[in-house]
Amino acid sequence: MSVNIFGKTNVGSSQRVISGGVTLSQAINTFLRRDGKNAADANINMDSHNIINVLDPMNAQDAATKNYVDTRAVSKTGDTMTGTLDMNGRAITNLLDPSAAQGAATKSYVDKQDSAQIITLNSYVDTHAVSKSGDTMTGDLNMGGRMVKGLPVHYPPTTYLGSEASSWSQVTQLVNAEVQNAIKITKELITKELITNTPKKSYSGYVPILEENISKTGFVTTASAVTAGDFQAYGAFNSLNADRSNGSWATPAKKGWLQIKCPEAVTIWRVALKARAIDGKNITEWNFSGSNDGKTFEPLLTSTTKLFGSANAPLFFDISTTTAYLYYRLAIQASTGAGDLGVQVMQLYVLST
């Protein structure tokens, strides 16, 4: 009968006696099996021999191979970490002071650097920072859109030096004072300018007493027609003469126009008109116009106010215009009575500066 080194035979009886008088049960309980079906009861002394061809461990209590340890443990002779080392609240002791930029720093090294940094920082701050107790800037201060608050206000404004930063209320006070002063000066200038340049209404007649149609005063009178030699156009501008002695202008028609050319272009604001002093010869429709070439006339006033021949005084009519004209014309559009219609008074009132 064959027996293996553990006393196993091809017969399953545990009571079978093997060489040396040892039963199968005794062999199993005494020796480790190659197939791993029993466990050691105590430590195994390898007596300076290796256990070889071991797998890397899978469980916490498995034996670790040299390869497993080499690839995971930090070597005492020096090594490189491939991940973060969590000291879990423990200290690293007996370090050298660092010589490389990324070397770990000892407490002694840091304390020395902090002390040197404090001295350097104090010197830097004293040299570069602005002191709260008062200081002098050596360059521009860019506030970056921020405000400077708590500035003093100088009262009265006359004590303000001009080189000091001014508070908003101070600036407002000074600006308001300047604005009010500027407004006052501006009002005075505008008032003076208006008084000086605003056209003034003259209540004295502009046209003097004329002695001829082409007067020595520079005025020239013309008309659409003349009844006779004693009723020339200039007669409407000569109140000293009698009606039949060129003291009126008269035309044989029931319509017509009377015109005066001034020595220079003038702006008028009023005209005075009176019909020829003959009862029944009334002007019922008329217009008044101005021109600078004697050909093209601009309407200034159209009226149906009757100009009675029986009237004792002329009527005054306001003219709304800002244009200066050289020629002024009265055009009669309708009238009553027979011929010899006419005008006794035609006077211009101008705007002057």
Side-chain angles (χ1 to χ4, degrees):
M1 178 185 315
S2 61
V3 179
N4 61 22
I5 63 173
F6 295 104
K8 185 176 180 182
T9 68
N10 56 356
V11 180
S13 174
S14 62
Q15 299 299 319
R16 185 174 296 281
V17 178
I18 60 176
S19 178
V22 180
T23 66
L24 179 59
S25 296
Q26 291 174 328
I28 293 174
N29 293 329
T30 302
F31 305 100
L32 285 175
R33 295 180 57 133
R34 293 180 63 186
D35 60 6
K37 291 186 176 181
N38 63 353
D41 293 331
N43 296 333
I44 298 175
N45 186 350
M46 297 303 299
D47 196 19
S48 301
H49 292 84
N50 293 326
I51 299 176
I52 62 174
N53 296 324
V54 179
L55 289 175
D56 285 345
M58 298 179 60
N59 301 311
Q61 297 303 113
D62 290 351
T65 65
K66 181 179 182 297
N67 176 69
Y68 183 86
V69 174
D70 289 345
T71 57
R72 288 167 173 77
V74 178
S75 175
K76 291 176 64 175
T77 60
D79 216 332
T80 301
M81 296 296 296
T82 59
T84 302
L85 180 61
D86 184 353
M87 297 305 296
N88 194 27
R90 303 302 193 278
I92 300 176
T93 63
N94 296 323
L95 289 174
L96 288 176
D97 286 345
S99 58
Q102 296 302 111
T106 64
K107 180 179 183 297
S108 173
Y109 179 84
V110 172
D111 289 345
K112 291 178 183 178
Q113 298 305 311
D114 284 347
S115 178
Q117 284 290 90
I118 289 171
I119 295 173
T120 303
L121 286 173
N122 285 342
S123 175
Y124 184 87
V125 170
D126 291 342
T127 304
H128 294 83
V130 178
S131 175
K132 290 177 66 175
S133 61
D135 219 327
T136 301
M137 295 295 297
T138 59
D140 295 335
L141 179 62
N142 186 344
M143 297 304 298
R146 303 302 194 276
M147 294 188 295
V148 177
K149 296 184 177 181
L151 292 172
V153 179
H154 299 272
Y155 292 104
T158 53
T159 63
Y160 181 60
L161 299 179
S163 61
E164 303 171 357
S166 180
S167 65
W168 176 251
S169 59
Q170 180 73 60
V171 171
T172 303
Q173 182 185 22
L174 293 173
V175 170
N176 287 341
E178 290 299 321
V179 169
Q180 293 302 320
N181 188 48
I183 291 174
K184 178 182 178 182
I185 293 174
T186 302
K187 284 182 177 179
E188 291 175 353
L189 291 175
I190 291 174
T191 302
K192 183 177 180 181
E193 185 75 11
L194 288 174
I195 293 174
T196 303
N197 298 322
T198 300
K200 304 174 185 62
K201 294 179 179 180
S202 174
Y203 289 86
S204 298
Y206 176 64
V207 183
I209 294 175
L210 303 183
E211 77 290 356
E212 295 287 346
N213 283 333
I214 302 177
S215 173
K216 295 178 181 180
T217 60
F219 291 87
V220 177
T221 58
T222 53
S224 56
V226 176
T227 297
D230 293 339
F231 294 98
Q232 296 295 319
Y234 78 89
F237 303 93
N238 190 329
S239 59
L240 298 180
N241 293 341
D243 177 65
R244 291 185 177 274
S245 300
N246 290 318
S248 298
W249 162 72
T251 176
K254 298 190 68 174
K255 295 182 179 181
W257 52 264
L258 173 65
Q259 175 179 296
I260 185 168
K261 178 184 177 183
C262 303
E264 60 183 359
V266 292
T267 304
I268 67 170
W269 68 277
R270 175 179 284 185
V271 62
L273 298 172
K274 181 181 180 302
R276 184 182 172 207
I278 297 179
D279 191 23
K281 296 185 181 294
N282 306 319
I283 301 172
T284 56
E285 292 182 26
W286 54 275
N287 64 62
F288 196 78
S289 58
S291 172
N292 279 308
D293 59 6
K295 299 177 182 179
T296 303
F297 283 82
E298 296 294 331
L300 300 178
L301 180 63
T302 298
S303 179
T304 56
T305 301
K306 293 182 175 60
L307 304 177
F308 292 102
S310 59
N312 295 322
L315 298 179
F316 295 88
F317 300 91
D318 289 344
I319 304 295
S320 178
T321 182
T322 57
T323 305
Y325 292 105
L326 192 62
Y327 297 85
Y328 288 96
R329 175 182 288 186
L330 171 68
I332 302 170
Q333 303 298 323
S335 61
T336 60
D340 298 333
L341 180 72
V343 175
Q344 184 179 10
V345 176
M346 178 173 161
Q347 183 57 268
L348 307 177
Y349 296 85
V350 301
L351 292 172
S352 59
T353 56

